[in-house]
Amino acid sequence: MRARKILQFVVSRGCLLFLLGSLIGMVQSVGAVEDKEALLGREVLETRCSGCHAPQEEGGKFDAIEAQRKSPEGWSMTLSRMVRTHGVELQDGDARILVKYLSDHYGLAPAEVEPYRFILEQRNTRTTQNVPEPLQAGCIQCHSYARIALQRRTQDSWERLPDAKVALMANIGSETASAGQLKDYWFENAKKKAVPHLIKAQPFQTEAWTAWQAVKKPNYAGTWLVVGHDPGRGGDYTGRLTLTAGEVDQYTGEFSYTFADGSQMNGSTTGTIYAGYQWRGVAQANETREAGREIPQREIFFAAENGNTVSGRRLLTNLGDLGMDETWYRSQDAARLLTVSPAMIQTGSPQTVRIFGNGFSGDMLSSDNFSFGEGVGVLSLRLDGEDAVVAEVFAKAGVKEGQRTVSVKGVAGEGQVLVYGAVDYIRITPERGFARPGGIRTPKIFQQFEVVGYTNGPDDTKGTDDDVKLGRIGPVKWNLEEYVKRQNDDDVQYVGAIDQTGLFLPNDDGPNQKRHRMEGNVGDVWVEAWYMREGAKRPMGARAHLLVMPAKFVFPPIE
């Protein structure tokens, strides 16, 4: 008996040791792959960069390189400048290895990127930035503030930056002074005002980066639920994305999205995670190539620090002038409600809405389990795939207008809808857009417009603080009208056209022989949208200003 117990102990201990050994082996294997990747990055850095950059005696680091931190796009721009200006020769794959290594080891923490991620997502129509006074005269004349803010440097690196600028651009002083912003020569302004500010505001060592480096980074493999919005033809959309892990921080995936208008988009994606949270991917969608929707699509996303949500922008063109806002939610075992679409219910007639999440089942389909708030009843329910429930709801005429919370018994999460009587007016977003001609010598820059409905709110007065934004409405008719700035203004005849999805299609670049003095296809126009409300005798309209600027030839990753 004693011998049997001893044998059982030995066997069980042996199994435990075997399992522990296997787990340790797996951890060591993953760690070994990561170490190998880092060693390869270091080797390429030393091989390709040591010809010009001498390592410091202490630690052997390349001071000009390893004294700064940037985003993947920032490091990509640096490598491009090294090749273009200094003749660096890179082998196939070197740029990818270097950008990955530098972004992981000399990148930016999530908190450092968040205020300026819009520029990485190429939301280049944004114009408002709170620029510190010391940078307003010298730096902002050439760079966006976001481009500057997405850097961290040592004191020595910041102090040497004006010298490097003068060495690379000998006429920088006269160029900036000619703008009338500087009382002193550019170099003096940079040295005495900009650099001291940057040393204090954007140091190399920060608590955010130190803390982020110490955190175990998430694994992004698995199933994700997707919620997004396409301001063009599709509107709101939902779907699923399944990611499979490959090499270190490399993923492949398959996705399937359904839009509010019933159309679908399926495809595959390949992406890389930089610094543990920044996704840069390329997606092949099963769409037909057309103006303003290029294939493949580019993905620029950012994960939350816990790794359970990923959000950003899906670029429909290489330049990012058109894109879709998108958020991924990690799929969970427990039932969860993520969104309701459309997020508005008009009183007086049945409406169909789609509740999207995960974990829905047939035994939930009882009107007693679904709540749409005061005055809204549920007429019918049905499952729509494994992630959605379609509900037919009814809000009686005369019920109190305003926001309602949507919930399902036994399901985590809530949705929001707006109950309204009628659309009182519409607005176009953006209200100020821009585009550029192209197609011959340079790419075209498109502009997508969208119509949003509003109610006058409790005071029943248009344009006051209590007005309620409802969301995207349609169908809408689009057209262009002249924005008159001079006698015989004729811009509307030449700048381009707008289609019935609200997409402005600019004309070709270059001089136009049909125009006075062979002007290019540029100018100002009004974009007009017309919406016919049910039962109305005439449509309601809205206007937005569109500036079609001269063609552009240089497109840096960070403007």
Side-chain angles (χ1 to χ4, degrees):
M1 188 71 174
R2 178 179 174 82
R4 182 181 298 175
K5 289 184 177 180
I6 293 173
L7 179 61
Q8 289 175 342
F9 173 76
V10 170
V11 171
S12 62
R13 182 179 176 86
C15 291
L16 179 60
L17 290 173
F18 174 77
L19 290 172
L20 287 174
S22 299
L23 290 172
I24 291 171
M26 291 171 63
V27 173
Q28 289 177 337
S29 176
V30 172
V33 173
E34 293 177 346
D35 289 343
K36 182 179 178 181
E37 185 82 7
L39 288 172
L40 177 60
R42 188 72 199 179
E43 179 183 342
V44 174
L45 179 70
E46 293 176 352
T47 302
R48 303 301 176 203
C49 305
S50 60
C52 296
H53 298 282
Q56 293 177 319
E57 293 184 5
E58 183 179 349
K61 293 188 175 183
F62 299 101
D63 64 334
I65 302 171
E66 296 174 277
Q68 54 186 308
R69 297 191 285 113
K70 301 179 182 179
S71 65
E73 288 79 5
W75 284 118
S76 178
M77 292 173 69
T78 297
L79 285 179
S80 176
R81 176 166 53 83
M82 292 297 112
V83 172
R84 184 180 66 252
T85 305
H86 301 289
V88 172
E89 295 183 0
L90 298 177
Q91 302 297 321
D92 290 344
D94 282 354
R96 178 189 63 80
I97 293 171
L98 285 170
V99 170
K100 180 73 172 77
Y101 175 80
L102 292 169
S103 298
D104 287 348
H105 294 81
Y106 301 99
L108 298 169
E112 294 172 328
V113 170
E114 184 61 30
Y116 312 103
R117 57 182 272 185
F118 70 89
I119 201 78
L120 300 177
E121 295 169 345
Q122 299 192 13
R123 301 179 189 273
N124 295 330
T125 56
R126 177 168 172 173
T127 57
T128 303
Q129 293 178 302
N130 296 320
V131 181
E133 189 278 330
L135 308 182
Q136 290 177 7
C139 306
I140 302 305
Q141 293 184 64
C142 297
H143 308 296
S144 67
Y145 175 55
R147 178 167 167 174
I148 300 167
L150 287 169
Q151 296 185 48
R152 300 293 184 275
R153 295 173 180 264
T154 62
Q155 178 175 338
D156 183 59
S157 181
W158 281 124
E159 289 175 342
R160 288 191 292 175
L161 192 58
D163 302 279
K165 290 290 185 183
V166 171
L168 292 170
M169 301 178 64
N171 63 340
I172 188 171
S174 59
E175 285 184 355
T176 53
S178 65
Q181 298 294 319
L182 296 178
K183 296 179 180 179
D184 301 322
Y185 177 58
W186 176 88
F187 188 80
E188 293 297 317
N189 181 274
K191 282 284 192 179
K192 293 180 179 179
K193 297 185 68 176
V195 167
H197 169 81
L198 291 167
I199 289 172
K200 184 177 180 179
Q202 296 172 217
F204 181 77
Q205 295 288 353
T206 63
E207 291 182 4
W209 179 242
T210 300
W212 180 246
Q213 283 183 301
V215 171
K216 182 180 179 181
K217 306 305 185 290
N219 185 327
Y220 296 94
T223 301
W224 297 80
L225 303 173
V226 178
V227 176
H229 182 78
D230 175 8
R233 66 186 187 194
D236 292 337
Y237 62 91
T238 57
R240 273 195 172 224
L241 165 70
T242 302
L243 294 180
T244 302
E247 297 288 333
V248 177
D249 291 333
Q250 306 290 319
Y251 296 87
T252 58
E254 303 288 333
F255 60 85
S256 177
Y257 299 160
T258 300
F259 291 84
D261 64 1
S263 61
Q264 291 191 329
M265 182 177 75
N266 304 315
S268 60
T269 183
T270 301
T272 301
I273 290 288
Y274 294 91
Y277 72 100
Q278 299 190 62
W279 171 280
R280 302 295 184 268
V282 176
Q284 294 285 348
N286 64 347
E287 292 193 312
T288 302
R289 182 184 296 272
E290 59 185 71
R293 300 183 81 92
E294 297 177 359
I295 301 174
Q297 302 169 351
R298 291 172 53 210
E299 300 168 332
I300 302 178
F301 297 122
F302 302 84
E305 294 192 28
N306 62 12
N308 289 329
T309 60
V310 178
S311 62
R313 194 159 178 257
R314 179 177 298 276
L315 307 186
L316 301 178
T317 69
N318 286 329
L319 302 178
D321 43 334
L322 301 177
M324 298 154 59
D325 296 328
E326 192 167 298
T327 302
W328 307 347
Y329 298 88
R330 193 184 293 273
S331 182
Q332 300 175 353
D333 294 333
R336 179 171 51 159
L337 190 160
L338 293 175
T339 189
V340 181
S341 178
M344 51 187 178
I345 299 172
Q346 187 173 15
T347 61
S349 62
Q351 307 281 305
T352 299
V353 297
R354 189 168 183 268
I355 304 169
F356 179 77
N358 72 292
F360 296 123
S361 60
D363 57 7
M364 294 180 180
L365 300 185
S366 168
S367 58
D368 294 335
N369 293 330
F370 286 75
S371 172
F372 284 82
E374 179 186 355
V376 183
V378 178
L379 302 179
S380 66
L381 297 162
R382 65 177 175 85
L383 287 176
D384 183 20
E386 55 187 320
D387 300 323
V389 172
V390 175
E392 187 178 21
V393 298
F394 181 81
K396 294 180 181 180
V399 301
K400 182 180 179 181
E401 298 184 9
Q403 188 167 282
R404 303 289 198 277
T405 297
V406 180
S407 61
V408 183
K409 285 183 181 179
V411 175
E414 297 177 338
Q416 302 294 327
V417 294
L418 285 164
V419 174
Y420 71 103
V423 176
D424 291 320
Y425 66 96
I426 62 173
R427 295 175 68 173
I428 299 175
T429 181
E431 293 189 324
R432 294 180 179 86
F434 75 88
R436 295 181 186 270
I440 299 177
R441 302 167 186 83
T442 187
K444 294 183 177 184
I445 303 295
F446 300 89
Q447 177 65 69
Q448 180 68 60
F449 293 95
E450 186 175 25
V451 168
V452 176
Y454 287 79
T455 69
N456 291 335
D459 67 0
D460 199 28
T461 303
K462 178 182 176 180
T464 56
D465 291 341
D466 68 348
D467 290 7
V468 178
K469 180 180 179 180
L470 297 173
R472 174 189 176 105
I473 62 168
V476 174
K477 290 186 177 181
W478 295 90
N479 66 277
L480 300 178
E481 291 292 338
E482 188 64 63
Y483 183 97
V484 180
K485 295 181 65 177
R486 63 181 187 272
Q487 190 174 9
N488 300 320
D489 210 342
D490 60 356
D491 295 340
V492 74
Q493 300 179 39
Y494 300 103
V495 294
I498 191 166
D499 70 13
Q500 291 310 302
T501 68
L503 176 63
F504 176 75
L505 307 163
N507 213 331
D508 293 339
D509 58 297
N512 188 335
Q513 296 183 1
K514 296 181 180 180
R515 297 202 73 173
H516 180 60
R517 296 180 179 176
M518 295 182 64
E519 291 180 351
N521 295 315
V522 299
D524 298 78
V525 293
W526 287 115
V527 175
E528 294 185 344
W530 299 94
Y531 170 67
M532 179 65 79
R533 189 175 66 185
E534 185 177 354
K537 294 183 179 179
R538 59 181 183 180
M540 59 180 67
R543 272 183 167 183
H545 176 244
L546 173 64
L547 173 62
V548 183
M549 298 184 288
K552 185 178 180 182
F553 297 90
V554 179
F555 302 94
I558 307 177
E559 290 288 347

